[in-house]
Protein backbone atom coordinates (compact mmCIF):
# COMPACT_ATOMS: atom_id res chain seq x y z
CA UNK A 1 0.00 0.00 0.00
CA UNK A 2 1.34 3.43 -0.92
CA UNK A 3 2.47 5.58 2.01
CA UNK A 4 0.36 8.72 2.52
CA UNK A 5 2.18 12.02 1.83
CA UNK A 6 4.02 13.16 4.97
CA UNK A 7 3.40 16.45 6.71
CA UNK A 8 5.88 19.24 5.92
CA UNK A 9 5.92 22.90 6.85
CA UNK A 10 8.44 25.33 5.38
CA UNK A 11 9.91 27.42 8.22
CA UNK A 12 11.87 29.59 5.78
CA UNK A 13 8.62 31.05 4.39
CA UNK A 14 9.03 33.52 7.26
CA UNK A 15 11.32 36.21 5.92
CA UNK A 16 12.84 37.07 9.31
CA UNK A 17 13.77 33.42 9.89
CA UNK A 18 15.29 33.02 6.42
CA UNK A 19 17.34 36.18 7.04
CA UNK A 20 18.48 34.84 10.43
CA UNK A 21 19.51 31.52 8.90
CA UNK A 22 21.26 33.01 5.88
CA UNK A 23 23.43 35.23 8.06
CA UNK A 24 26.56 33.34 9.08
CA UNK A 25 26.98 35.30 12.31
CA UNK A 26 24.40 33.61 14.63
CA UNK A 27 25.78 30.19 13.68
CA UNK A 28 29.36 31.40 14.08
CA UNK A 29 28.60 32.75 17.57
CA UNK A 30 27.00 29.45 18.64
CA UNK A 31 29.95 27.52 17.22
CA UNK A 32 32.39 29.84 18.99
CA UNK A 33 30.61 29.05 22.28
CA UNK A 34 30.77 25.28 21.66
CA UNK A 35 34.44 25.66 20.65
CA UNK A 36 35.17 27.42 23.96
CA UNK A 37 33.43 24.53 25.78
CA UNK A 38 35.48 22.07 23.73
CA UNK A 39 38.74 23.76 24.72
CA UNK A 40 37.63 23.83 28.37
CA UNK A 41 36.88 20.11 28.22
CA UNK A 42 40.36 19.38 26.86
CA UNK A 43 42.06 21.57 29.48
CA UNK A 44 40.11 20.15 32.43
CA UNK A 45 40.64 16.65 31.08
CA UNK A 46 44.40 17.20 31.24
CA UNK A 47 44.76 19.33 34.38
CA UNK A 48 41.54 18.76 36.35
CA UNK A 49 40.75 16.13 38.96
CA UNK A 50 41.92 12.65 37.90
CA UNK A 51 38.69 11.21 39.38
CA UNK A 52 36.07 10.88 36.62
CA UNK A 53 33.05 11.71 38.78
CA UNK A 54 34.74 14.95 39.93
CA UNK A 55 36.10 16.09 36.61
CA UNK A 56 34.30 18.66 34.44
CA UNK A 57 35.40 17.01 31.17
CA UNK A 58 33.88 13.62 32.04
CA UNK A 59 30.74 14.96 33.70
CA UNK A 60 30.05 17.53 30.99
CA UNK A 61 30.81 15.41 27.93
CA UNK A 62 29.60 11.95 28.87
CA UNK A 63 26.75 12.89 31.21
CA UNK A 64 25.39 16.34 30.28
CA UNK A 65 26.24 16.67 26.56
CA UNK A 66 25.77 13.00 25.70
CA UNK A 67 22.33 12.94 27.39
CA UNK A 68 21.25 16.21 25.74
CA UNK A 69 22.44 14.89 22.37
CA UNK A 70 20.54 11.61 22.63
CA UNK A 71 17.39 12.82 24.37
CA UNK A 72 16.81 16.22 22.77
CA UNK A 73 19.08 17.21 19.89
CA UNK A 74 18.98 13.98 17.86
CA UNK A 75 15.27 13.13 18.24
CA UNK A 76 14.07 16.66 17.56
CA UNK A 77 16.86 18.25 15.52
CA UNK A 78 18.60 15.39 13.70
CA UNK A 79 21.96 16.78 12.65
CA UNK A 80 21.26 20.10 14.42
CA UNK A 81 24.30 19.40 16.60
CA UNK A 82 26.50 19.12 13.49
CA UNK A 83 25.36 22.62 12.57
CA UNK A 84 27.09 24.04 15.67
CA UNK A 85 29.76 21.38 16.28
CA UNK A 86 33.22 22.91 16.85
CA UNK A 87 35.31 19.94 15.69
CA UNK A 88 35.44 20.89 11.98
CA UNK A 89 35.98 24.61 12.67
CA UNK A 90 39.81 24.85 12.54
CA UNK A 91 39.90 22.71 9.40
CA UNK A 92 37.25 24.90 7.78
CA UNK A 93 39.19 28.04 8.67
CA UNK A 94 42.17 26.62 6.79
CA UNK A 95 39.99 25.55 3.86
CA UNK A 96 38.22 28.87 3.45
CA UNK A 97 41.10 31.08 4.59
CA UNK A 98 38.85 33.06 6.89
CA UNK A 99 36.88 32.55 10.13
CA UNK A 100 33.27 33.24 9.20
CA UNK A 101 33.02 32.80 5.42
CA UNK A 102 35.24 31.99 2.45
CA UNK A 103 37.46 34.93 1.73
CA UNK A 104 41.16 34.31 2.19
CA UNK A 105 44.01 32.15 0.95
CA UNK A 106 42.99 28.52 1.14
CA UNK A 107 45.14 25.73 2.58
CA UNK A 108 43.60 22.69 0.98
CA UNK A 109 44.70 20.09 -1.58
CA UNK A 110 41.02 19.39 -2.28
CA UNK A 111 41.45 15.69 -3.07
CA UNK A 112 38.32 13.59 -3.38
CA UNK A 113 37.79 11.01 -0.63
CA UNK A 114 38.71 7.49 -1.89
CA UNK A 115 35.70 5.94 -3.62
CA UNK A 116 35.94 2.63 -1.71
CA UNK A 117 35.72 4.49 1.61
CA UNK A 118 32.63 6.55 0.74
CA UNK A 119 30.43 4.82 3.30
CA UNK A 120 30.01 4.64 7.08
CA UNK A 121 32.30 1.67 7.80
CA UNK A 122 35.15 3.80 9.17
CA UNK A 123 32.71 5.84 11.25
CA UNK A 124 31.25 2.64 12.70
CA UNK A 125 34.74 1.33 13.49
CA UNK A 126 35.63 4.59 15.29
CA UNK A 127 32.38 4.56 17.22
CA UNK A 128 32.93 0.93 18.22
CA UNK A 129 36.52 1.69 19.32
CA UNK A 130 35.37 4.56 21.57
CA UNK A 131 32.52 2.39 22.91
CA UNK A 132 34.85 -0.53 23.58
CA UNK A 133 36.93 1.57 25.97
CA UNK A 134 33.97 3.46 27.49
CA UNK A 135 34.67 2.17 31.02
CA UNK A 136 38.16 3.70 30.79
CA UNK A 137 36.85 6.88 29.13
CA UNK A 138 34.25 7.42 31.85
CA UNK A 139 36.69 6.99 34.69
CA UNK A 140 39.88 8.57 33.31
CA UNK A 141 39.48 12.25 32.30
CA UNK A 142 42.76 12.38 30.41
CA UNK A 143 41.40 9.79 27.97
CA UNK A 144 38.45 12.07 27.16
CA UNK A 145 40.90 14.93 26.58
CA UNK A 146 43.04 12.82 24.26
CA UNK A 147 39.97 11.65 22.31
CA UNK A 148 39.00 15.27 21.70
CA UNK A 149 42.54 16.30 20.76
CA UNK A 150 42.70 13.31 18.42
CA UNK A 151 39.39 14.23 16.77
CA UNK A 152 40.46 17.78 16.10
CA UNK A 153 43.94 16.81 14.81
CA UNK A 154 42.49 14.24 12.42
CA UNK A 155 39.73 16.66 11.33
CA UNK A 156 42.33 19.34 10.52
CA UNK A 157 44.58 16.89 8.65
CA UNK A 158 41.66 15.58 6.58
CA UNK A 159 40.49 19.13 5.84
CA UNK A 160 43.91 20.08 4.50
CA UNK A 161 44.21 17.01 2.27
CA UNK A 162 40.65 16.28 1.19
CA UNK A 163 37.77 18.38 -0.10
CA UNK A 164 35.14 20.04 2.04
CA UNK A 165 33.91 18.20 5.15
CA UNK A 166 35.18 14.75 4.18
CA UNK A 167 35.99 14.14 7.86
CA UNK A 168 32.36 14.68 8.91
CA UNK A 169 30.96 12.75 6.00
CA UNK A 170 33.20 9.68 6.16
CA UNK A 171 35.30 9.57 9.33
CA UNK A 172 33.76 11.22 12.41
CA UNK A 173 32.90 8.45 14.90
CA UNK A 174 29.73 10.31 15.93
CA UNK A 175 28.77 11.21 12.37
CA UNK A 176 27.42 7.80 11.35
CA UNK A 177 25.02 7.30 14.22
CA UNK A 178 23.92 10.95 14.21
CA UNK A 179 23.08 10.51 10.51
CA UNK A 180 21.03 7.41 11.28
CA UNK A 181 19.04 9.17 13.99
CA UNK A 182 18.55 12.13 11.65
CA UNK A 183 16.49 10.00 9.28
CA UNK A 184 13.69 10.12 11.86
CA UNK A 185 14.13 13.73 12.91
CA UNK A 186 11.28 16.19 12.35
CA UNK A 187 13.61 18.73 10.70
CA UNK A 188 15.03 18.72 7.18
CA UNK A 189 16.74 20.92 4.60
CA UNK A 190 15.26 20.22 1.18
CA UNK A 191 14.74 21.77 -2.24
CA UNK A 192 11.44 23.59 -2.59
CA UNK A 193 8.82 21.32 -4.12
CA UNK A 194 8.07 21.90 -7.78
CA UNK A 195 11.48 23.21 -8.93
CA UNK A 196 11.56 23.39 -12.71
CA UNK A 197 14.25 21.38 -14.57
CA UNK A 198 15.96 24.69 -15.41
CA UNK A 199 16.09 25.66 -11.71
CA UNK A 200 17.35 22.18 -10.79
CA UNK A 201 20.00 22.39 -13.50
CA UNK A 202 21.19 25.77 -12.27
CA UNK A 203 21.25 24.48 -8.69
CA UNK A 204 23.16 21.35 -9.66
CA UNK A 205 25.85 23.52 -11.25
CA UNK A 206 26.13 25.80 -8.23
CA UNK A 207 25.58 23.58 -5.22
CA UNK A 208 28.05 20.70 -5.44
CA UNK A 209 30.76 23.32 -5.04
CA UNK A 210 28.92 25.13 -2.27
CA UNK A 211 27.78 22.21 -0.12
CA UNK A 212 30.42 21.42 2.50
CA UNK A 213 28.95 17.94 2.92
CA UNK A 214 29.46 17.16 -0.79
CA UNK A 215 25.75 16.86 -1.62
CA UNK A 216 23.80 18.31 -4.47
CA UNK A 217 21.10 19.98 -2.37
CA UNK A 218 18.78 20.25 -5.39
CA UNK A 219 18.57 16.46 -5.34
CA UNK A 220 18.60 15.97 -1.57
CA UNK A 221 16.14 13.30 -0.41
CA UNK A 222 17.60 12.06 2.90
CA UNK A 223 18.85 13.62 6.12
CA UNK A 224 21.74 11.26 6.81
CA UNK A 225 24.40 13.24 4.95
CA UNK A 226 23.06 16.77 5.33
CA UNK A 227 24.88 18.48 8.19
CA UNK A 228 22.35 21.34 8.37
CA UNK A 229 25.24 23.74 7.80
CA UNK A 230 22.73 26.00 5.95
CA UNK A 231 25.29 26.98 3.28
CA UNK A 232 22.86 26.08 0.48
CA UNK A 233 20.45 28.70 1.84
CA UNK A 234 23.25 31.23 1.40
CA UNK A 235 23.92 30.63 -2.30
CA UNK A 236 22.36 32.56 -5.18
CA UNK A 237 19.85 29.74 -5.60
CA UNK A 238 19.18 29.66 -1.86
CA UNK A 239 15.56 30.74 -2.32
CA UNK A 240 14.98 27.31 -3.86
CA UNK A 241 15.86 25.59 -0.56
CA UNK A 242 13.66 25.29 2.50
CA UNK A 243 14.10 24.30 6.13
CA UNK A 244 11.04 22.17 6.89
CA UNK A 245 9.53 20.68 9.99
CA UNK A 246 8.05 17.33 9.06
CA UNK A 247 6.48 14.23 10.55
CA UNK A 248 8.89 11.81 12.27
CA UNK A 249 8.22 9.09 9.68
CA UNK A 250 8.63 11.33 6.63
CA UNK A 251 11.76 9.51 5.47
CA UNK A 252 10.80 5.97 6.39
CA UNK A 253 9.90 3.73 3.49
CA UNK A 254 11.66 5.90 0.91
CA UNK A 255 13.00 3.61 -1.83
CA UNK A 256 16.77 3.23 -1.76
CA UNK A 257 17.13 5.22 1.46
CA UNK A 258 19.10 2.60 3.44
CA UNK A 259 22.37 0.81 2.69
CA UNK A 260 24.24 -2.24 4.00
CA UNK A 261 26.78 -0.17 5.96
CA UNK A 262 23.94 1.75 7.62
CA UNK A 263 22.13 -1.51 8.43
CA UNK A 264 25.28 -2.83 10.14
CA UNK A 265 25.67 0.44 12.04
CA UNK A 266 22.07 0.10 13.27
CA UNK A 267 22.77 -3.45 14.42
CA UNK A 268 25.96 -2.27 16.13
CA UNK A 269 24.05 0.43 18.00
CA UNK A 270 21.39 -2.05 19.06
CA UNK A 271 24.07 -4.50 20.17
CA UNK A 272 25.91 -1.85 22.18
CA UNK A 273 22.67 -0.93 24.01
CA UNK A 274 22.21 -4.57 25.01
CA UNK A 275 25.84 -5.02 26.04
CA UNK A 276 25.89 -1.79 28.11
CA UNK A 277 22.61 -2.71 29.80
CA UNK A 278 24.01 -6.13 30.72
CA UNK A 279 27.42 -4.82 31.88
CA UNK A 280 26.42 -1.67 33.78
CA UNK A 281 23.20 -2.98 35.31
CA UNK A 282 24.49 -6.45 36.06
S1 LIG B 1 30.00 14.73 11.82
FE1 LIG B 1 31.12 14.78 13.77
S2 LIG B 1 32.67 16.36 13.59
FE2 LIG B 1 31.22 16.64 11.91
S3 LIG B 1 29.82 18.13 12.67
FE3 LIG B 1 28.89 16.15 13.13
S4 LIG B 1 29.61 15.57 15.20
FE4 LIG B 1 30.86 17.30 14.48
S1 LIG C 1 24.82 22.92 2.12
FE1 LIG C 1 22.67 22.43 2.43
S2 LIG C 1 22.48 20.30 1.73
FE2 LIG C 1 24.66 20.71 2.05
S3 LIG C 1 25.00 20.00 4.15
FE3 LIG C 1 24.64 22.19 4.23
S4 LIG C 1 22.44 22.34 4.67
FE4 LIG C 1 22.80 20.25 3.93
Amino acid sequence: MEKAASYRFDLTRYTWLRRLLTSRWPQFILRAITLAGFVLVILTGFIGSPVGSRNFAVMFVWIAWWSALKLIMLPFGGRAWCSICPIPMPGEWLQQGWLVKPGGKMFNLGLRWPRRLRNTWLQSAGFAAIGLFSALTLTTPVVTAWIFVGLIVVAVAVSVIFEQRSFCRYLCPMGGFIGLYATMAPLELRPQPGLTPVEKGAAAREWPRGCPWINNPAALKANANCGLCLECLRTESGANMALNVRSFDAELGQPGAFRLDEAFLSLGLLGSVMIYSAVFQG
Side-chain angles (χ1 to χ4, degrees):
M1 197 166 54
E2 204 170 304
K3 189 172 176 281
S6 300
Y7 169 79
R8 279 183 168 84
F9 181 82
D10 174 7
L11 293 173
T12 41
R13 68 173 59 183
Y14 299 113
T15 313
W16 66 268
L17 188 58
R18 183 173 280 273
R19 277 209 194 112
L20 189 72
L21 296 174
T22 48
S23 165
R24 288 188 173 86
W25 281 103
Q27 191 180 18
F28 177 77
I29 291 166
L30 289 174
R31 294 181 84 191
I33 293 169
T34 59
L35 183 64
F38 190 85
V39 171
L40 190 62
V41 162
I42 292 175
L43 287 178
T44 52
F46 281 126
I47 61 178
S49 167
V51 180
S53 59
R54 290 186 189 166
N55 185 284
F56 173 81
V58 170
M59 298 306 288
F60 181 77
V61 173
W62 303 118
I63 309 293
W65 174 77
W66 196 238
S67 304
L69 183 72
K70 287 191 294 186
L71 297 177
I72 300 168
M73 284 188 269
L74 292 183
F76 298 105
R79 279 205 186 265
W81 164 254
C82 291
S83 145
I84 56 167
C85 172
I87 295 171
M89 284 182 89
E92 267 180 346
W93 293 340
L94 289 173
Q95 279 189 350
Q96 65 193 21
W98 196 243
L99 297 189
V100 185
K101 61 178 181 177
K105 182 173 169 359
M106 293 188 270
F107 295 91
N108 175 239
L109 298 179
L111 302 185
R112 298 213 67 195
W113 189 254
R115 187 177 291 277
R116 288 173 67 90
L117 300 178
R118 289 180 206 162
N119 46 51
T120 60
W121 293 112
L122 288 177
Q123 292 177 316
S124 303
F127 185 72
I130 291 178
L132 207 59
F133 297 101
S134 58
L136 184 67
T137 315
L138 286 171
T139 53
T140 318
V142 78
V143 174
T144 295
W146 275 118
I147 288 175
F148 275 50
V149 170
L151 284 174
I152 218 148
V153 168
V154 175
V156 168
V158 171
S159 297
V160 170
I161 299 168
F162 295 100
E163 63 178 340
Q164 308 274 22
R165 284 221 206 166
S166 295
F167 172 81
C168 293
R169 177 95 192 236
Y170 303 114
L171 258 189
C172 172
M174 285 89 75
F177 93 87
I178 293 177
L180 267 187
Y181 271 86
T183 59
M184 290 193 66
L187 195 65
E188 64 174 20
L189 214 304
R190 289 289 187 280
Q192 297 275 13
L195 287 190
T196 65
V198 173
E199 287 167 330
K200 278 191 180 169
R205 282 192 296 278
E206 177 182 6
W207 277 328
R209 201 176 58 240
C211 173
W213 287 66
I214 322 164
N215 297 308
N216 175 1
L220 198 63
K221 292 195 173 116
N223 269 7
N225 294 321
C226 168
L228 288 181
C229 68
L230 308 177
E231 285 300 323
C232 53
L233 285 178
R234 296 163 183 151
T235 61
E236 279 179 29
S237 315
N240 292 334
M241 296 301 292
L243 182 69
N244 301 321
V245 285
R246 64 179 195 179
S247 49
F248 286 92
D249 68 342
E251 221 173 284
L252 296 183
Q254 270 185 193
F258 295 99
R259 304 186 320 242
L260 185 65
D261 52 338
E262 291 176 337
F264 267 86
L265 181 56
S266 311
L267 285 175
L269 288 171
L270 200 59
S272 64
V273 169
M274 292 160 80
I275 291 168
Y276 284 135
S277 304
V279 170
F280 288 114
Q281 294 179 18

